[in-house]
Amino acid sequence: MGNALGFLYGHCCKPSATGESDSLAPHGVTAATAGVSAPAQGVTFEFHTLPVDARCVTDGDGITVYVSTSDPRESCLVPQEVQIAAVERSEARAQRDYTRADALHKSIVNAGYRVIAIQNDEVLARKYRIRLRGIDAPEGQMPYGNEAKEELAKIVQGKCLRVIVYEEDQYGRLVGDIHCNGIFVQELMLKRGMAWHYTAYDQRAEFAEWERNARAERVGLWASSNPEEPWQWRRRNRREGR
């Protein structure tokens, strides 16, 4: 990267490892404990995100994040056309040519990047869609679908996340573990009864234990006597052509 792009890099924040913040303090027995679950086998890489916008939470197990291109792994992956468009956009804005600046930013977005304003500065960031590994939250049309989405948004809103990536799924999402302020997000979602342990793709014993305890305490979706599994719901709706 040249010096002309210096204004775009920085603000690659890393979550605190000191434990759960006051804003995440759960009720009763639903507390998450940092560092309990070791990563599963097959980790490919990890990264830290910029602060998350709650609107980027798609459902109870999916989220869109942005990673600063100052990240060592990202800095060498930025396409040249994106670098040039970012510089030209900055110059256009300095000249108050906002029509050209907006057109250039559209080309940046189409390439999978975005210029994000943070603390009176601008950061060039890469977009990633994340699927939380090992859990399956209710779909939006299912009971507790909206509650699961809102719970995840409450956990991550405004926070920098540590994402441990295993693989890419058939929809182009990175499948991974998410940590936030020392909190293992999948643990919190399971303990609060906002998701199932997705045993077809993750057999970590602690996941099963967290779900089992939530079931016993009838928290979240387990307040229902027989909630439908989201994978069964999806299969049924595909069969019925919905």
Side-chain angles (χ1 to χ4, degrees):
M1 303 297 172
N3 292 334
L5 275 176
F7 75 98
L8 290 169
Y9 304 125
H11 302 287
C12 183
C13 52
K14 297 184 179 181
S16 167
T18 58
E20 185 172 356
S21 68
D22 291 342
S23 62
L24 295 182
H27 301 288
V29 296
T30 59
T33 52
V36 168
S37 179
Q41 292 184 345
V43 174
T44 57
F45 64 95
E46 70 174 76
F47 56 76
H48 295 84
T49 75
L50 294 169
V52 174
D53 188 326
R55 293 172 295 181
C56 290
V57 174
T58 55
D59 51 35
D61 52 44
I63 181 173
T64 297
V65 301
Y66 290 89
V67 180
S68 171
T69 51
S70 67
D71 181 284
R73 180 179 178 274
E74 294 296 334
S75 62
C76 61
L77 298 177
V78 184
Q80 185 176 15
E81 59 269 24
V82 172
Q83 299 179 39
I84 294 171
V87 172
E88 291 181 350
R89 174 187 175 276
S90 179
E91 293 171 347
R93 287 181 61 82
Q95 298 166 5
R96 298 190 177 183
D97 187 351
Y98 298 117
T99 299
R100 174 167 167 72
D102 289 346
L104 287 163
H105 193 241
K106 184 177 180 180
S107 71
I108 292 170
V109 171
N110 289 340
Y113 290 79
R114 181 177 294 275
V115 178
I116 299 175
I118 299 179
Q119 298 176 353
N120 299 320
D121 201 353
E122 291 190 325
V123 179
L124 180 63
R126 184 175 179 180
K127 175 183 176 180
Y128 285 106
R129 293 184 301 134
I130 309 297
R131 172 68 163 82
L132 277 68
R133 191 179 198 268
I135 68 170
D136 200 1
E139 299 292 336
Q141 300 85 352
M142 296 177 65
Y144 274 90
N146 288 332
E147 289 87 343
K149 177 181 177 180
E150 291 172 1
E151 187 68 33
L152 180 57
K154 183 172 66 174
I155 294 169
V156 302
Q157 181 176 11
K159 306 296 193 306
C160 297
L161 310 178
R162 176 188 174 213
V163 182
I164 300 173
V165 179
Y166 296 91
E167 60 189 346
E168 184 175 305
D169 71 7
Q170 60 181 321
Y171 305 107
R173 300 173 299 184
L174 298 182
V175 180
D177 293 340
I178 294 183
H179 297 262
C180 173
N181 280 6
I183 298 302
F184 184 29
V185 175
Q186 285 103 303
E187 177 183 353
L188 205 56
M189 293 295 288
L190 286 167
K191 285 186 171 183
R192 292 183 175 176
M194 293 296 165
W196 278 258
H197 175 205
Y198 206 2
T199 56
Y201 294 96
D202 196 306
Q203 287 79 46
R204 280 178 279 187
E206 57 269 35
F207 281 41
E209 180 182 357
W210 295 330
E211 180 191 302
R212 187 164 55 249
N213 291 340
R215 282 175 178 261
E217 292 151 10
R218 303 185 67 84
V219 297
L221 62 89
W222 305 117
S224 173
S225 59
N226 189 29
E228 183 178 14
E229 295 94 338
W231 53 90
Q232 294 290 358
W233 185 91
R234 291 189 294 267
R235 186 178 298 117
R236 177 170 57 81
N237 278 268
R238 283 195 297 268
R239 188 170 58 247
E240 295 173 0
R242 297 179 184 174

